[in-house]
Amino acid sequence: MKRFLIGLVGFVGMLGFVGCVSTPTDVRKTDALPPVYPDYIGVTIPDGIAPLNFNMTDADVDRVYVTVKGNKGGELHANGAYADFDIDEWHALTAQNKGGRLTLTVCARKDGKWLQYKDFDIYVSPYAMDEYGVTYRRIAPGYEVGGDIGIYQRDIQTFDEYAIMRESAVPGRCFNCHTPNRTDPRQLTLQIRGEGGGTLVQLADGQQRWLNTKTDSTKAAGSYAYWHPSGNYCAYATNSVHQSFFVGRGQRIEAYHEFSNVVVLDVRTNELILTPELMTTTDLEIFPAFSPDGKWLYYSTSKACRVPAEYEKVKCSVCRIPFDAATGTFGHEVDTLLNGPKDDCSYTLARPSYDGRWLMYTVSSRSNFPVFQPDADLWLMDLTTGESRPLKEVNSNQADSYHNWSDNSHWFVFSSKRDDGMFARLYFASIDAEGKVTKPFLLPQRNPKKYYAESFDSFNVPDFTKTKVDFDIREARRQVLRDERIQVRIKD
Amino acid sequence: MGLTKQGLLQYTDWGLSVLVGIGVFLFWYVGYPHALSYQEQYQLFLWTTDYFCERLSVAGGLSDWLGDFIAQFYYIPWLGAILLTVLFVLIQRMVGGLWGVAIDLLLLHLMGNESVLPAYVVALAGVLLCSRLFRSVKWYWELLLVPVIYWLFGPMCWLYVAMRVLQLGWRHVWLLAYLPALMALAMLTVMQQWPYPAVFFSMSYYRVPMQMPLMMAWIPLAVVGALLFERCCKSSKTRWAASACCAIAALLYVPSGYDKDKYELINMDCLIRNEQWDEVISRADRHVVPTAFWSNCVNLALSQKRLLAERQFDFYQSGDDALIMPRHRDLTSNLPSAEAFFRLGLVNSAQRYMFDIQESILNGKKSGRCTKRIVECMMVNGHYKTAAKYIALLKKSLFYRSWAEEAERCLNRDDLVDRHPLWGRLRQLRFKNDFLFSHAEKDKIFGLLFMDNHDNKMALDYFIAEMLLRGNAQGVAQYMPWAEQYGGYRYMPVGYQDAVRAIQSRGQAQGTKYGEYVKRMMMTKGGAE
């Protein structure tokens, strides 16, 4: 009996071993590129990124055999139900081929027959992505109820994801994604909306300060934050977002606000800095972003319309206003960089690269909130020449929006609904010194087809994080539930 | 062959359990099948290892998983009732005798709170079973067993340690400190994203986070109290009398857990879900629950039987929200409105309400009922990619699988959807042009919907009904000819006649039901619109 059992175990083990290492035989070749998910054909990646595992889109393919060869040397294989590369081997190969390319040979087995597709390349950028990872908010793409939302961070070198703050930690609260200062999470801000709401400002000392940024002069708490490079100020929009819903068959949601202003918080004194140019009642200002030198504040602004009735008339412009960090005061001359009403479109979410070279923004046919506009696309302005162009290399026929730059300004992350028009996913692309932008790649997952098919969350408000976010969730929960807030004052 | 005293006792013991079983089964299957339907619609048990592992990733995961495993069978009420019966009998036998009956009755009372989840009952049964299975193990095994039992069954582990202290003796009272220390350790490490009331007391037992009814704590205490009493009281007669008194008291206590109005609304929702329109109307004749939810249910049922024009004001009308309620951030209020939207052809609005209802389930679970309806909305709108995603989810369930496989065949097949008896019709009823929904102007939306498609009689009925609810006499007079021309009535419905009489007499006509409604609204709101 014992012998029989040993034999059985050995036989099963051998079968498993044979199954795992089966190499393609009697391979038929085709000139077609392999139908893979995600579409990693011709993308550019940084070295050290998590392996670009992929699946065949054809559900009947039961096995793939992938060979990856670097043009500067190195080779690795993956063999299984999908292409699942070893992390260490992948990192070594991408490091060896930095600035070069990886050529992938894909063989797929279907109905017992192997088919070898045309090789394709993945380019390894000469530019590093130095960050630890990305942060984002995961939320069901619903309507008015957030559900089981959470802010997460993802190590981009591996597949590890960690919760920073989940709804389970602060039940019933809705929160915005945290905003670090130029990808450095030691200094961050985030907002909790509604009952027990407040604005968290955490400085380098790690101490959490929960503020009430609502005052007699500001009608709502702060959101859509952006840090001043000095770390002494943080800009917020104070608005109240509403949504209306279409009765027809295409677009689901139109978001709008009835009022919106931009304010700057002096985090040293808890004082709000207001300026009449950003506190108008005839215009709605949103999405502030400081220039890398801290001397300008970019923002979007639209004329106040009778919303929701006039939702189609909402056209944003991108403006900038001088800011003096030494005195904490604004200038009074507003530059209009992009005129929405004149161009009959809406310019939003202008964000300068941290090296000051580029200004990336979103263009849609209307609205203050491009994430709900299927025609929303990313555009790029060269701040040295003022010339703009659509980023055809990365745009899709669904909403592409909410981008953020890496610290070295050679990578950007954005959310795109290109897969199905409903669920936003994170894409990364690089840009070189001449402004050449590469084909974006989807945030890698160990088994991407399964992961994204079974994920019922949208990934939004992405940003890079230089290091792992060290956030004391217990202290945050204590403060949120305690409901005590430091009242900010208006600076004289 | 005569029975020994021991044998007789055993027969009595089992007889009591059989009685408990029969009683529990009848309670759920005959008395409260709608409560089972209510629980079933707020979970979606998936037959996947990922789902199991995800549940097991937090404390109390096994009881949560088993609770949902049982709840999925509530889809077929008799099957759900049988599984609950097994659990209740198990608990009764673990506690023993009439004490067990008393505990079961307290549980029945507790489960009248619709937010108490089956996981609680599973945890109680599981912990009682563990304390029975491991009663003879050495004390040092508890160092391992307590964390394992806590992880599997959650904070009900308090009961386990209390029972072990009773079994092992007071020298082992340290177990009562060991458990909270473990809980604190869990909070500092693997359960940082959970607040302490959940980690220490409730976890997956109650649908609303950070809350739990006191009875959830009293029941384990009652178990401990019963065991202590059994141990301390020497007289078997006294023990029997005390347990009998407790069982009777608990029996009398059960009905107070079931608010009549609340369960009437739950029943209405269950009937709407199963399209038992006649039963809705019949119940409405017998029991009024003066809420917008109730009005929504009754009006929807009337419209499906083409009786809205005849009988709307025979029943309580809550006001402007009697046909469709505005958005409420909870998991139940908007269900009948979502059902009405769907049948009207306002498919996007139905999807919106169903989506938000699902996201309002405070323990973050999906809903089979809502997901199914969301898929239908997506199929009607031709959003096949997203529909496929939700269909794949439903295919992993037991009771929605066959439906999902049927739906899957229609993916990317406009011709099949067009020919589908329900989806094809809804495609015809949808708006041809796109615009934003406005709750304040829903009467106009119903009117436009009818103008888009004159076959949409429900839209016509809702259009006139909404104007009547708003007291829009001018609108009623203006559009009443539509009802005559397109309504398909052989004579002017009695309800409309009654309303017209009330309007023409400016409220002076005696005995008109519509007139009474307008007067009531004027009294409560200071005048109808």
Side-chain angles (χ1 to χ4, degrees):
Chain A
M1 185 65 185
K2 196 176 169 187
R3 276 187 186 175
F4 172 74
L5 281 175
I6 292 170
L8 187 69
V9 168
F11 180 68
V12 170
M14 217 166 76
L15 277 182
F17 181 72
V18 169
C20 286
V21 297
S22 66
T23 50
T25 51
D26 299 327
V27 181
R28 191 167 63 84
K29 290 192 176 182
T30 171
D31 283 339
L33 284 165
V36 296
Y37 179 85
D39 177 12
Y40 286 148
I41 297 172
V43 299
T44 300
I45 58 169
D47 74 296
I49 190 84
L52 263 59
N53 291 356
F54 61 83
N55 309 72
M56 304 302 287
T57 54
D58 188 344
D60 293 331
V61 169
D62 63 354
R63 201 145 204 94
V64 292
Y65 188 91
V66 183
T67 304
V68 190
K69 285 182 183 164
N71 71 328
K72 295 183 180 178
E75 182 175 328
L76 69 84
H77 300 272
N79 174 32
Y82 62 97
D84 182 8
F85 301 106
D86 178 82
I87 293 181
D88 292 335
E89 287 180 18
W90 176 269
H91 284 169
L93 187 66
T94 55
Q96 191 178 353
N97 289 277
K98 188 171 181 178
R101 70 174 189 280
L102 308 175
T103 301
L104 284 83
T105 305
V106 178
C107 291
R109 190 174 71 185
K110 182 180 173 182
D111 301 329
K113 291 173 186 165
W114 286 95
L115 186 64
Q116 182 181 330
Y117 292 92
K118 189 178 174 184
D119 292 354
F120 70 89
D121 292 333
I122 290 175
Y123 302 94
V124 185
S125 171
Y127 303 112
M129 194 188 279
D130 299 321
E131 281 77 7
Y132 159 82
V134 282
T135 59
Y136 43 83
R137 186 172 65 164
R138 273 176 33 192
I139 182 170
Y143 297 82
E144 293 174 282
V145 181
D148 186 18
I149 65 174
I151 303 173
Y152 294 84
Q153 58 183 324
R154 163 71 193 271
D155 180 349
I156 47 168
Q157 297 193 10
T158 68
F159 300 108
D160 297 335
E161 183 191 60
Y162 305 94
I164 297 172
M165 182 191 273
R166 283 185 54 192
E167 198 264 350
S168 62
V170 280
R173 263 63 173 199
C174 178
F175 38 89
N176 286 334
C177 207
H178 92 288
T179 307
N181 185 358
R182 190 172 170 158
T183 77
D184 185 349
R186 286 177 302 168
Q187 196 168 20
L188 63 86
T189 181
L190 66 79
Q191 298 80 39
I192 294 211
R193 294 182 191 146
E195 189 190 347
T199 299
L200 165 69
V201 174
Q202 181 173 306
L203 301 181
D205 59 7
Q207 197 185 344
Q208 294 183 10
R209 283 181 295 159
W210 287 85
L211 311 176
N212 178 14
T213 52
K214 208 186 277 192
T215 67
D216 291 342
S217 307
T218 52
K219 295 180 199 170
S223 55
Y224 305 106
Y226 199 101
W227 286 91
H228 188 271
S230 69
N232 293 332
Y233 305 98
C234 193
Y236 299 91
T238 63
N239 63 349
S240 177
V241 184
H242 299 274
Q243 295 180 9
S244 284
F245 309 96
F246 289 95
V247 295
R249 10 195 117 174
Q251 193 180 336
R252 298 184 304 143
I253 300 171
E254 187 73 24
Y256 52 89
H257 46 205
E258 285 163 351
F259 66 86
S260 184
N261 299 123
V262 166
V263 299
V264 170
L265 175 73
D266 185 333
V267 298
R268 298 164 299 181
T269 60
N270 297 333
E271 288 180 317
L272 284 181
I273 302 164
L274 311 182
T275 183
E277 285 75 14
L278 299 177
M279 295 294 293
T280 62
T281 52
T282 54
D283 298 271
L284 310 177
E285 300 85 11
I286 191 174
F287 298 129
F290 283 105
S291 60
D293 61 9
K295 292 178 179 171
W296 296 93
L297 181 73
Y298 295 91
Y299 61 97
S300 299
T301 178
S302 63
K303 287 283 171 205
C305 299
R306 286 189 302 110
V307 283
E310 295 182 335
Y311 71 92
E312 288 176 305
K313 292 184 181 175
V314 177
K315 313 278 180 184
C316 284
S317 300
V318 167
C319 300
R320 66 176 190 174
I321 185 169
F323 182 73
D324 181 355
T327 58
T329 54
F330 284 99
H332 295 288
E333 288 193 9
V334 173
D335 289 346
T336 301
L337 302 180
L338 298 159
N339 190 322
K342 188 178 155 209
D343 300 339
D344 193 27
C345 60
S346 194
Y347 299 111
T348 48
L349 274 164
R351 302 208 151 178
S353 58
Y354 296 123
D355 62 5
R357 175 73 194 278
W358 313 106
L359 184 75
M360 198 178 290
Y361 54 93
T362 309
V363 181
S364 54
S365 56
R366 61 166 190 265
S367 177
N368 310 97
F369 299 94
V371 71
F372 296 115
Q373 302 299 323
D375 63 359
D377 281 335
L378 297 177
W379 282 54
L380 188 72
M381 179 188 283
D382 184 339
L383 286 171
T384 57
T385 63
E387 287 177 7
S388 282
R389 71 177 183 90
L391 289 178
K392 288 180 183 166
E393 304 91 324
V394 305
N395 288 329
S396 69
N397 57 2
Q398 294 290 345
D400 301 293
S401 69
Y402 226 107
H403 50 279
N404 261 311
W405 293 93
S406 68
D407 188 41
N408 66 9
S409 298
H410 281 298
W411 294 94
F412 57 92
V413 58
F414 62 100
S415 66
S416 174
K417 296 183 180 176
R418 65 190 60 192
D419 268 14
D420 49 35
M422 187 167 177
F423 294 89
R425 307 279 182 238
L426 301 189
Y427 284 80
F428 300 82
S430 73
I431 182 170
D432 67 12
E434 281 72 47
K436 190 182 164 206
V437 172
T438 58
K439 180 177 173 179
F441 65 93
L442 179 64
L443 176 65
Q445 303 293 349
R446 186 174 295 284
N447 184 349
K449 194 172 170 184
K450 181 175 187 296
Y451 180 91
Y452 287 113
E454 294 178 0
S455 166
F456 288 85
D457 289 335
S458 260
F459 290 63
N460 63 21
V461 208
D463 201 353
F464 290 95
T465 182
K466 194 178 280 184
T467 55
K468 192 173 179 183
V469 181
D470 182 18
F471 186 66
D472 187 346
I473 183 64
R474 288 182 297 277
E475 173 64 10
R477 178 169 50 232
R478 195 177 68 81
Q479 297 265 10
V480 168
L481 299 180
R482 201 169 64 165
D483 220 9
E484 284 179 15
R485 304 285 177 263
I486 302 167
Q487 179 61 50
V488 301
R489 300 180 306 276
I490 306 293
K491 189 176 182 184
D492 295 330
Chain B
M1 200 168 71
L3 271 173
T4 61
K5 192 180 173 187
Q6 189 68 24
L8 188 65
L9 277 174
Q10 233 174 14
Y11 272 117
T12 314
D13 192 30
W14 275 105
L16 191 62
S17 298
V18 170
L19 274 179
V20 166
I22 293 169
V24 169
F25 177 78
L26 291 176
F27 182 88
W28 293 116
Y29 181 56
V30 178
Y32 290 94
H34 43 289
L36 301 184
S37 168
Y38 181 88
Q39 294 293 345
E40 189 277 337
Q41 70 189 7
Y42 296 124
Q43 58 74 43
L44 181 61
F45 184 88
L46 304 181
W47 291 74
T48 64
T49 46
D50 285 351
Y51 183 80
F52 178 74
C53 294
E54 190 195 323
R55 286 286 171 274
L56 263 285
S57 67
V58 293
L62 184 66
S63 57
D64 190 24
W65 185 83
L66 285 172
D68 280 353
F69 175 83
I70 290 169
Q72 73 179 320
F73 289 99
Y74 295 174
Y75 194 85
I76 301 171
W78 64 265
L79 203 50
I82 284 177
L83 289 174
L84 273 179
T85 301
V86 170
L87 269 185
F88 273 70
V89 169
L90 187 67
I91 290 168
Q92 186 270 331
R93 293 206 61 78
M94 292 289 135
V95 177
L98 283 168
W99 290 116
V101 177
I103 296 298
D104 273 0
L105 290 167
L106 288 178
L107 268 179
L108 279 183
H109 167 90
L110 174 69
M111 289 177 78
N113 182 326
E114 75 283 5
S115 295
V116 173
L117 299 173
Y120 179 81
V121 188
V122 170
L124 181 60
V127 160
L128 288 171
L129 197 62
C130 287
S131 64
R132 177 72 66 94
L133 287 175
F134 305 128
R135 67 178 155 190
S136 54
V137 301
K138 298 285 184 194
W139 67 267
Y140 45 81
W141 280 103
E142 300 304 336
L143 295 171
L144 179 67
L145 283 172
V146 170
V148 170
I149 290 170
Y150 172 63
W151 200 258
L152 295 180
F153 296 108
M156 190 64 79
C157 193
W158 283 110
L159 176 61
Y160 176 79
V161 294
M163 291 181 73
R164 291 301 286 151
V165 170
L166 287 181
Q167 287 164 355
L168 292 166
W170 292 106
R171 278 185 304 131
H172 297 282
V173 74
W174 57 271
L175 279 171
L176 289 171
Y178 180 51
L179 176 61
L182 288 170
M183 291 169 163
L185 186 65
M187 270 203 78
L188 290 170
T189 53
V190 289
M191 295 190 63
Q192 291 188 19
Q193 298 290 334
W194 295 87
Y196 79 87
V199 176
F200 280 75
F201 302 111
S202 61
M203 278 316 292
S204 53
Y205 305 154
Y206 200 64
R207 193 175 283 116
V208 186
M210 306 274 284
Q211 290 180 26
M212 61 177 256
L214 263 183
M215 181 54 76
M216 284 175 71
W218 282 119
I219 288 176
L221 284 173
V223 173
V224 175
L227 290 178
L228 268 176
F229 190 82
E230 283 288 306
R231 177 175 290 190
C232 298
C233 182
K234 303 293 180 198
S235 159
S236 61
K237 281 184 183 169
T238 311
R239 290 203 303 267
W240 187 88
S243 60
C245 286
C246 287
I248 291 166
L251 179 66
L252 296 174
Y253 190 44
V254 171
S256 65
Y258 294 80
D259 181 85
K260 197 179 173 192
D261 283 353
K262 181 167 73 182
Y263 273 87
E264 182 61 25
L265 296 179
I266 287 174
N267 200 358
M268 282 290 198
D269 175 51
C270 179
L271 294 171
I272 293 279
R273 183 183 180 186
N274 295 306
E275 301 191 336
Q276 293 175 266
W277 313 119
D278 290 323
E279 182 63 14
V280 172
I281 297 165
S282 162
R283 290 194 74 87
D285 277 325
R286 299 196 299 270
H287 187 170
V288 178
V289 185
T291 59
F293 186 95
W294 188 87
S295 292
N296 276 207
C297 292
V298 176
N299 288 335
L300 175 59
L302 289 170
S303 75
Q304 296 310 293
K305 302 301 290 184
R306 292 287 344 256
L307 289 171
L308 191 63
E310 290 273 359
R311 300 197 59 195
Q312 179 183 5
F313 291 95
D314 289 356
F315 300 96
Y316 168 81
Q317 297 295 323
S318 58
D320 178 23
D321 54 2
L323 291 166
I324 299 284
M325 283 166 75
R327 181 74 196 103
H328 282 258
R329 285 176 185 247
D330 67 59
L331 71 173
T332 307
S333 298
N334 284 131
L335 280 167
S337 298
E339 297 287 0
F341 273 140
F342 186 69
R343 286 169 176 79
L344 278 162
L346 287 165
V347 178
N348 267 6
S349 302
Q351 181 176 319
R352 169 164 72 102
Y353 269 35
M354 278 298 182
F355 212 111
D356 278 353
I357 289 167
Q358 179 159 262
E359 292 309 317
S360 299
I361 303 172
L362 288 170
N363 55 9
K365 291 185 180 171
K366 296 290 177 201
S367 155
R369 176 185 178 181
C370 293
T371 303
K372 185 179 164 190
R373 182 65 87 218
I374 289 166
V375 167
E376 292 192 286
C377 294
M378 289 171 171
M379 295 299 285
V380 172
N381 279 334
H383 297 160
Y384 297 125
K385 273 189 177 175
T386 43
K389 202 172 165 71
Y390 287 95
I391 285 173
L393 183 72
L394 290 177
K395 278 173 70 182
K396 293 172 192 158
S397 69
L398 182 61
F399 292 106
Y400 299 94
R401 182 184 300 154
S402 57
W403 181 90
E405 284 168 353
E406 284 290 316
E408 193 175 34
R409 289 193 196 104
C410 297
L411 282 174
N412 303 308
R413 293 286 305 273
D414 279 333
D415 56 329
L416 292 182
V417 175
D418 287 341
R419 286 206 300 272
H420 191 281
L422 176 61
W423 302 342
R425 177 171 160 71
L426 289 172
R427 278 195 167 179
Q428 301 299 317
L429 299 184
R430 284 180 307 167
F431 271 116
K432 293 184 174 59
N433 297 313
D434 215 354
F435 57 91
L436 294 172
F437 182 83
S438 165
H439 186 80
E441 297 176 297
K442 58 183 185 292
D443 53 342
K444 291 176 191 157
I445 288 174
F446 297 146
L448 289 170
L449 201 56
F450 171 70
M451 283 172 71
D452 255 16
N453 188 332
H454 286 181
D455 286 339
N456 195 347
K457 309 287 188 225
M458 183 181 171
L460 174 64
D461 291 348
Y462 266 53
F463 175 50
I464 304 283
E466 182 66 29
M467 285 192 293
L468 288 170
L469 289 168
R470 293 176 182 220
N472 181 357
Q474 197 181 349
V476 171
Q478 187 179 346
Y479 292 106
M480 195 54 82
W482 277 13
E484 290 180 287
Q485 189 180 347
Y486 300 109
Y489 304 114
R490 278 184 291 176
Y491 60 90
M492 180 62 91
V494 175
Y496 287 170
Q497 291 178 34
D498 174 84
V500 168
R501 199 162 68 246
I503 290 167
Q504 285 173 345
S505 69
R506 295 177 181 273
Q508 299 305 311
Q510 294 297 307
T512 69
K513 287 169 181 166
Y514 181 61
E516 285 165 19
Y517 163 78
V518 173
K519 272 182 204 162
R520 179 166 58 81
M521 295 311 290
M522 287 173 76
M523 284 171 70
T524 53
K525 289 186 179 176
E529 287 174 45

